[in-house]
Amino acid sequence: MSRGICPRVNSFDSVRILALVIFAVNAIEADKHTCYEVRAAFQQRYIGPLHLVPEKPYKDADLQICKHQGPSCCTKKMEECYQAAVKRETLQKIESYTYELENMLSSQLDTFQDMFQYLLSFSQGHLSSLLEGTYSSLSRQALPHVNQLFSSLSLYLRGANISVEMTIHKFFNNIFPLVYARLINPGIEGSVTAGSTMGDCLRMIRQDVKPFGNHPVTMAQELAEVLETGRQLSLGLDKGLEVINATEHADLSRDCVKGLAKMVYCSHCRGLTLIKPCVGYCLNVMRGCLASMAELDQPWRTYISSLKKLTLAMAGHHSLELAMLGVRGHVNEALLYAQSHGPLITATVDKVCGLSTREPPGMWSMRPEVTTSSTTLTSPSPSASSSSSSSHILPVERVARFAHLKREFLGQLQRYKSFFNTLPELLCDGEQTMDDSTCWGGDGVVESYNARIVRNGLHAQRQNPEVKVRSMDPTIAEFKKRLEHFNQETQEKFPNLNEIEVWEEPGSGEEQGSTADCDDEDGCQSSGDDDEQNYDINGQTSDGGQPGGDNTQEPHPKPPAVKVVGGSPPTSWQQPRCLALLFAGLCLKWLLI
């Protein structure tokens, strides 16, 4: 019965089974001693020609980086390919992290330039409509000077070496002959033409005679302050792009490349293509490679802080918009001042440039008399002024967009404040390293990396056990100096920036009583209280008033004292309405948002 259940196996079958078992064992052992996995990884990562990888591991005495006492799947030629590959891969990873920062700076530069140009264009149209509607007698000849004024301001904001004060004074110098011949003394246009001796004399004496009072000086000071801030912000964004571009194209030292190849690819030489470096090991290698970039950390933090304060000084509480909208009001008040002081101005001009009229004496009686009790001017009526100013108020969607751009920019700046200090951690994060029980420690598989992990910075990296750090990269050193020069220049030009405090850190969490779409700076009220938050800049609060005092205006200064027969100068004139109406309109729209 047992023989039927278990049939006998003859000796030939036993030999065949034994042979198959021996063949399978030999095949497995042979596969363990091939470089198949290394060849596959070498090909998949496009490291180099596949024929450089040996079929089986062997001892290569020429290895310089991946030295190993036992057999290896690497050759010296493969080491060279590994160095080229790891250098390329590391620079690509650095570029991937700097791309977002570079794109942010570039897009914000374009956005701010577009905002500047829009405000300049809007203000230019604002002023042109005033001249065409109220001062039509001189608008055609004055409009080219208006175009030149805003064209020069545009170039200034783009970095041109132009003085805002000189540009504005040149504008008033150029329109003074027109105002003198068409508003103060209408009918003498023929003697005050372009290129005439009289016209040249009027342009030369304008700042001494002060036919427009102090309005040109006030306008120049207001615009110079806010436009210089905007210009410095644009230059700063451009400077940041230069620094980021330099870091993307900075070369890696030979010691760094060797350390990277040892960290990433030397494990392949032993057939370990899937194991990853230990976290601490990676940090030492990356910090050694990026020691020069880490030296940018402190000037970069100062740079980011300067950009934030420049943004608040320029755009906080709509300073830029109000300054640009105020151009129309300043020019209008300047022209009204000239009309109201016509006889004094004429007498002064006659003394300096000669008799300006050169017409029969009877022509004097045809001029409009200016007295302290009654004055005939071409100023718009209150209703017309209100209608005109309200029709030129900046569109509410533009005001909201400018406020949103400011908030967004401040939040983005905060994210990148410590960029160069955290770049090694970013490169070692994720799938690059592993923190499991075993990892690659450079010389073999270890349970943990026990070497000292050095801090960032060139001086600390001198003690790096994995990468020899000798000196700072000359390219990075040059751009570090440029960044420090920009920071110093900003501090010298704007010493009061230190008085601006950034009350909240965007991105660090929402303050109680605020929302993501609205803040107190943009005219929105928080749910917690109705107090208005102001910044104290140059001794003035953000709403333009003096802390603890009344916001009053100085009366118009008088022109040079000259005795005029047949009339006396008025002692005062109406307070400027245009800018006040514009400001009131803006505030009303902000409250309705």
Side-chain angles (χ1 to χ4, degrees):
M1 292 293 292
S2 60
R3 295 179 62 181
I5 297 174
C6 298
R8 186 176 63 182
V9 179
N10 58 39
S11 60
F12 179 76
D13 291 336
S14 299
V15 171
R16 289 198 334 182
I17 293 172
L18 181 60
L20 289 174
V21 171
I22 293 173
F23 176 79
V25 171
N26 289 336
I28 294 173
E29 291 294 325
D31 186 63
K32 287 173 63 178
H33 293 87
T34 65
C35 298
Y36 174 78
E37 294 294 336
V38 180
R39 290 172 63 88
F42 203 82
Q43 184 178 29
Q44 291 172 0
R45 298 194 182 191
Y46 303 99
I47 295 173
L50 193 59
H51 70 268
L52 296 178
V53 185
E55 295 287 344
K56 296 181 179 181
Y58 71 102
K59 290 186 177 181
D60 189 347
D62 295 331
L63 291 177
Q64 299 295 320
I65 302 174
C66 303
K67 297 179 181 180
H68 177 50
Q69 293 181 354
S72 173
C73 286
C74 290
T75 64
K76 186 176 180 180
K77 287 288 186 182
M78 289 176 64
E79 280 188 337
E80 295 175 358
C81 292
Y82 280 144
Q83 289 183 74
V86 76
K87 180 179 180 180
R88 180 181 64 251
E89 292 166 358
T90 303
L91 289 176
Q92 287 176 348
K93 289 175 183 176
I94 292 175
E95 185 176 357
S96 69
Y97 283 109
T98 58
Y99 172 78
E100 185 179 354
L101 173 57
E102 183 179 20
N103 183 65
M104 183 272 289
L105 293 175
S106 178
S107 62
Q108 288 296 337
L109 178 60
D110 293 339
T111 299
F112 277 121
Q113 287 294 346
D114 290 343
M115 181 182 73
F116 294 153
Q117 297 309 312
Y118 175 83
L119 289 174
L120 287 171
S121 177
F122 189 90
S123 182
Q124 180 177 352
H126 206 188
L127 178 56
S128 298
S129 66
L130 170 71
L131 297 177
E132 292 172 350
T134 306
Y135 304 98
S136 56
S137 60
L138 55 83
S139 63
R140 187 171 63 86
Q141 289 77 15
L143 287 179
H145 301 302
V146 173
N147 296 338
Q148 181 60 43
L149 168 66
F150 285 94
S151 176
S152 297
L153 295 179
S154 176
L155 292 174
Y156 173 79
L157 283 170
R158 293 182 180 275
N161 188 19
I162 298 175
S163 169
V164 174
E165 290 89 345
M166 291 182 64
T167 298
I168 293 174
H169 285 301
K170 181 180 178 181
F171 166 74
F172 281 102
N173 290 344
N174 289 332
I175 68 170
F176 179 40
L178 301 175
V179 172
Y180 187 79
R182 296 174 182 273
L183 293 183
I184 298 176
N185 295 294
I188 66 166
E189 295 90 341
S191 61
V192 187
T193 58
S196 65
T197 303
M198 188 65 181
D200 293 339
C201 181
L202 289 171
R203 277 185 285 271
M204 290 177 60
I205 68 171
R206 199 274 306 170
Q207 295 191 53
D208 296 325
V209 175
K210 292 187 176 180
F212 303 114
N214 282 333
H215 294 292
V217 175
T218 304
M219 174 178 164
Q221 290 175 345
E222 290 182 3
L223 281 182
E225 181 178 355
V226 70
L227 293 183
E228 187 177 17
T229 306
R231 181 176 187 264
Q232 191 73 3
L233 179 61
S234 296
L235 292 176
L237 291 170
D238 194 57
K239 188 66 63 178
L241 288 172
E242 292 179 6
V243 173
I244 296 302
N245 187 60
T247 60
E248 289 179 350
H249 296 87
D251 199 14
L252 301 177
S253 68
R254 294 179 62 182
D255 292 320
C256 164
V257 175
K258 288 181 180 179
L260 288 169
K262 183 178 180 180
M263 179 182 75
V264 177
Y265 287 117
C266 279
S267 59
H268 290 210
C269 298
R270 305 186 194 184
L272 305 174
T273 58
L274 299 179
I275 197 167
K276 297 177 182 179
C278 304
V279 175
Y281 177 39
C282 180
L283 285 176
N284 271 343
V285 174
M286 288 302 180
R287 286 177 179 176
C289 288
L290 304 180
S292 294
M293 290 189 192
E295 291 298 305
L296 293 172
D297 179 62
Q298 190 55 47
W300 181 261
R301 288 173 182 269
T302 305
Y303 163 79
I304 292 294
S305 179
S306 296
L307 290 188
K308 292 166 72 173
K309 292 181 178 181
L310 286 171
T311 302
L312 289 173
M314 177 197 69
H317 294 273
H318 311 283
S319 302
L320 180 63
E321 298 97 305
L322 291 175
M324 296 307 301
L325 288 173
V327 171
R328 171 189 168 109
H330 283 301
V331 174
N332 185 45
E333 289 297 320
L335 297 179
L336 292 175
Y337 182 97
Q339 285 184 288
S340 65
H341 295 83
L344 285 175
I345 297 170
T346 300
T348 305
V349 168
D350 287 346
K351 285 188 174 182
V352 179
C353 298
L355 190 60
S356 59
T357 57
R358 299 186 184 277
E359 76 266 7
M363 190 67 110
W364 281 86
S365 61
M366 298 175 62
R367 297 179 185 169
E369 290 189 7
V370 182
T371 63
T372 56
S373 58
S374 62
T375 307
T376 304
L377 300 173
T378 59
S379 59
S381 63
S383 60
S385 175
S386 175
S387 174
S388 175
S389 61
S390 62
S391 65
H392 290 286
I393 289 178
L394 201 63
V396 64
E397 62 272 10
R398 284 284 180 172
V399 176
R401 174 166 171 75
F402 294 160
H404 172 72
L405 289 175
K406 181 198 69 174
R407 291 196 306 272
E408 182 182 51
F409 182 53
L410 292 176
Q412 290 174 333
L413 287 177
Q414 182 64 23
R415 288 175 53 196
Y416 293 103
K417 186 175 182 178
S418 58
F419 176 76
F420 290 105
N421 195 46
T422 59
L423 186 56
E425 283 81 354
L426 292 174
L427 293 172
C428 289
D429 194 17
E431 298 181 357
Q432 180 71 21
T433 58
M434 61 188 305
D435 204 8
D436 295 333
S437 57
T438 57
C439 54
W440 179 252
D443 295 320
V445 179
V446 296
E447 292 185 359
S448 62
Y449 182 72
N450 296 321
R452 174 191 175 192
I453 301 175
V454 293
R455 294 181 293 106
N456 274 313
L458 196 64
H459 179 72
Q461 289 300 311
R462 301 272 169 82
Q463 309 298 322
N464 195 317
E466 307 298 342
V467 179
K468 290 183 179 179
V469 179
R470 306 178 189 276
S471 60
M472 190 169 182
D473 182 270
T475 302
I476 301 297
E478 173 62 26
F479 281 92
K480 179 185 177 183
K481 289 181 180 178
R482 295 187 187 183
L483 199 60
E484 290 173 339
H485 179 265
F486 171 81
N487 293 336
Q488 183 179 1
E489 180 185 62
T490 303
Q491 182 63 35
E492 292 174 353
K493 286 185 176 180
F494 308 93
N496 292 321
L497 279 183
N498 290 331
E499 300 177 13
I500 302 178
E501 295 185 17
V502 183
W503 294 103
E504 60 178 293
E505 298 291 344
S508 61
E510 296 294 337
E511 295 286 343
Q512 183 178 1
S514 65
T515 65
D517 297 325
C518 182
D519 60 17
D520 291 340
E521 288 183 34
D522 306 316
C524 306
Q525 293 180 349
S526 66
S527 58
D529 55 66
D530 295 329
D531 295 334
E532 183 179 359
Q533 180 184 4
N534 294 327
Y535 292 95
D536 189 2
I537 305 174
N538 299 333
Q540 290 186 341
T541 56
S542 58
D543 58 0
Q546 299 291 337
D550 295 330
N551 188 14
T552 58
Q553 282 189 313
E554 295 290 335
H556 292 300
K558 294 184 179 181
V562 179
K563 185 177 181 180
V564 181
V565 178
S568 60
T571 58
S572 63
W573 184 243
Q574 60 183 0
Q575 298 294 328
R577 299 174 181 172
C578 186
L579 184 58
L581 288 170
L582 289 173
F583 184 80
L586 279 173
C587 291
L588 180 60
K589 291 200 172 186
W590 294 338
L591 292 174
L592 293 176
I593 294 177

